Amino acid sequence: MLTNHQKLANLSYFCEINIDETMTISSKQEILKDFFHAAFSVDNVVFGFDEGDLKVLLIYRGAEPFKGMWALPGDLVYLDEDLDVAAQRVLQDLTGLKNIFMEQIHSFGKVDRHPFGRVITVAYYALIKTQDYNINASSWAEEAKWFSIKELPTLPFDHLEILVYAIKSFKEKARRQPIGFELLPKNFTLTQIQHLFEAILDAKFDTRNFRKKLLSMDLLVDTKKLEKGKAHRPAALYKFDQRKFQKFQKSGFSFDL
Amino acid sequence: MLTNHQKLANLSYFCEINIDETMTISSKQEILKDFFHAAFSVDNVVFGFDEGDLKVLLIYRGAEPFKGMWALPGDLVYLDEDLDVAAQRVLQDLTGLKNIFMEQIHSFGKVDRHPFGRVITVAYYALIKTQDYNINASSWAEEAKWFSIKELPTLPFDHLEILVYAIKSFKEKARRQPIGFELLPKNFTLTQIQHLFEAILDAKFDTRNFRKKLLSMDLLVDTKKLEKGKAHRPAALYKFDQRKFQKFQKSGFSFDL
DNA sequence: TCAAAAGTGTTCTTATTACACCCATGG
DNA sequence: CCATGGGTGTAATAAGAACACTTTTGA
């Protein structure tokens, strides 16, 4: 005795293979239709770092549902579009950010998460240097803005859950890999990078130990330039050595100071 | 100028909110339908450990598509079913494994990955003690069997990609958390656990250092029992201390011997 | 000359590595 | 009595933690 669901598996929508002889093709298609009435979306968590605070990029929704709320930039995926491509396309549509490499985090699929019907969403995240990009809200996003993760507005759908998950995985990742450098400007001071890691990991490090460890990793290059215009001793500016970083990725590291 | 896609966002399938005055409700629903013709599935990677080898549970497909191939136990998700629930339900339907806690790994969404139409799949994984469960293929699974990850049959869909991804994340996870104990019988020897980690991490450890580190974690309890019937010195049997494990989870650990 | 942040070294403690022989059992 | 895998300790090295004062600049 097969359930409808099991019968479905005997059926190819496109090939119309007739396996269960007692069913007509049209009745099989009826069963299949019960499943093929879902949609999926991508939701992007874009992290930035500014003023010593970890930030996330949100858009102001100019469309239903949840029109007039700040939300993660996300939208439905076309049926003929790969997920990873969709994540990039949606981000560009809504915020103008082009060619941002996005990495998948997790999928969220509660039955009632979307008022349109059954929509599961695949969450992606990216890290960008806020200084290097202009944010231009477009499409149905009326505005796009950085929010400190400490001062978030009320978010629609399950976006808060997604964001909390994203922050948690970013934190875990940052502890194991020299990730996060992507958030800093091209040239940066050691103090900046310490504050960055303190913000990400929500911890406080000893300056001497932090510098010792960081420099011993041999990932940074002294640019021989100095910070200017600060009412205190100027800090040395470093840059990130991409080549050395590649090697490092494999061996792994740990930021358990 | 809005694209159809953008218009869609102005539309609630259920609420029928009429935002764009120039469109009739029925034409909006037409647009919406373009998106709501997808389905999603779950695919489960169930790991076991036996005879010194890491194993994965596969089913023999008795249904199209790919009838007659060994595949990951997976199936379409009902429209009114949460993802996590679906993963457990599908596993039980196909293999008889009840109440197995499954954790989400990743979603796979290439456009052509399923011959029925657009189906994205959410991969889950679980670790089980092979000795404690009976595998009973049912529904459209004609058979269910453990395969060593070193001797896999050809897999349908993108199941190989999913499996490779699952093994990789399991490996990374095992290095950071005392995971994998779930794969051993209730009472186990230190040699067994060493072999397990060697299989997972594909590495060779020094017996003395491995034991020292493992015992210093204070996760194991000596049962004071001994292995029997082996033609050599009997090994002490240990069990896993769930309580101490809980604490440990937070502090984290590393298996970089 | 003061405020503000940058920069720097040493000691102590803890974890990791490398390494070789005796022990208990079944056949 | 022998083959087989179980079981053990120590020394050397490397990594992490704790800790306080001097330096350079702009205002």
Side-chain angles (χ1 to χ4, degrees), chain A residues 13 43 104 112 165 253:
Chain A
Y13 188 64
D43 279 302
Q104 195 190 117
D112 303 326
Y165 194 98
F253 91 153

Side-chain angles (χ1 to χ4, degrees), chain A residues 5-6 8-11 14 19 34 38 63-64 76 78-79 81-82 89 104 107 111 115-118 139, chain B residues 5-6 8-12 14 19 34 38 64 75-76 78-79 81-82 89 104 107 111 115-118 139:
Chain A
H5 182 230
Q6 288 154 5
L8 167 72
N10 287 320
L11 169 88
F14 295 120
I19 286 158
D34 288 346
E64 294 295 343
L76 295 176
Y78 297 124
L79 285 184
E81 184 181 40
D82 280 348
R89 192 257 310 157
Q104 195 190 117
S107 297
V111 170
F116 279 17
R118 186 69 196 272
S139 178
Chain B
H5 182 230
Q6 288 153 3
L8 168 72
N10 286 321
L11 168 88
S12 164
F14 296 119
I19 287 160
D34 289 346
E64 294 295 343
D75 209 340
L76 295 177
Y78 298 124
L79 284 185
E81 185 180 38
D82 279 349
R89 192 258 308 158
Q104 195 190 117
S107 297
V111 171
F116 278 18
R118 185 69 196 273
S139 178

Side-chain angles (χ1 to χ4, degrees), chain B residues 12-23:
Chain B
S12 164
Y13 189 63
F14 296 119
C15 311
E16 307 216 341
I17 295 167
N18 196 351
I19 287 160
D20 180 348
E21 304 297 334
T22 66
M23 287 179 80

Side-chain angles (χ1 to χ4, degrees), chain A residues 191-213:
Chain A
T191 303
Q192 274 181 298
I193 199 169
Q194 181 175 345
H195 288 164
L196 169 64
F197 274 97
E198 286 176 344
I200 297 173
L201 299 177
D202 196 21
K204 194 93 187 77
F205 300 128
D206 176 88
T207 310
R208 279 166 295 186
N209 291 341
F210 184 87
R211 285 164 179 242
K212 206 191 309 170
K213 178 153 186 177

Side-chain angles (χ1 to χ4, degrees), chain A residues 163-252:
Chain A
L163 186 51
V164 166
Y165 194 98
I167 293 169
K168 188 180 125 254
S169 13
F170 178 35
K171 210 162 163 172
E172 282 167 12
K173 201 151 193 165
R175 209 181 282 277
R176 309 287 163 211
Q177 283 174 53
I179 209 176
F181 298 86
E182 298 91 331
L183 293 167
L184 293 171
K186 199 162 188 173
N187 296 331
F188 48 84
T189 70
L190 294 178
T191 303
Q192 274 181 298
I193 199 169
Q194 181 175 345
H195 288 164
L196 169 64
F197 274 97
E198 286 176 344
I200 297 173
L201 299 177
D202 196 21
K204 194 93 187 77
F205 300 128
D206 176 88
T207 310
R208 279 166 295 186
N209 291 341
F210 184 87
R211 285 164 179 242
K212 206 191 309 170
K213 178 153 186 177
L214 199 64
L215 293 172
S216 75
M217 284 173 184
D218 202 31
L219 283 171
L220 303 185
V221 185
D222 191 340
T223 62
K224 308 287 180 194
K225 289 179 204 157
L226 294 178
E227 221 184 6
K228 277 177 198 164
K230 291 281 168 67
H232 55 76
R233 177 173 176 176
L237 287 166
Y238 287 81
K239 64 181 183 183
F240 183 54
D241 187 328
Q242 279 293 344
R243 279 182 39 150
K244 287 176 183 163
F245 173 75
Q246 308 286 349
K247 288 187 214 160
F248 209 71
Q249 284 277 46
K250 292 169 194 169
S251 56

Side-chain angles (χ1 to χ4, degrees), chain B residues 66-83:
Chain B
F66 302 110
K67 183 173 173 172
M69 288 184 87
W70 289 97
L72 294 174
D75 209 340
L76 295 177
V77 175
Y78 298 124
L79 284 185
D80 59 354
E81 185 180 38
D82 279 349
L83 279 177

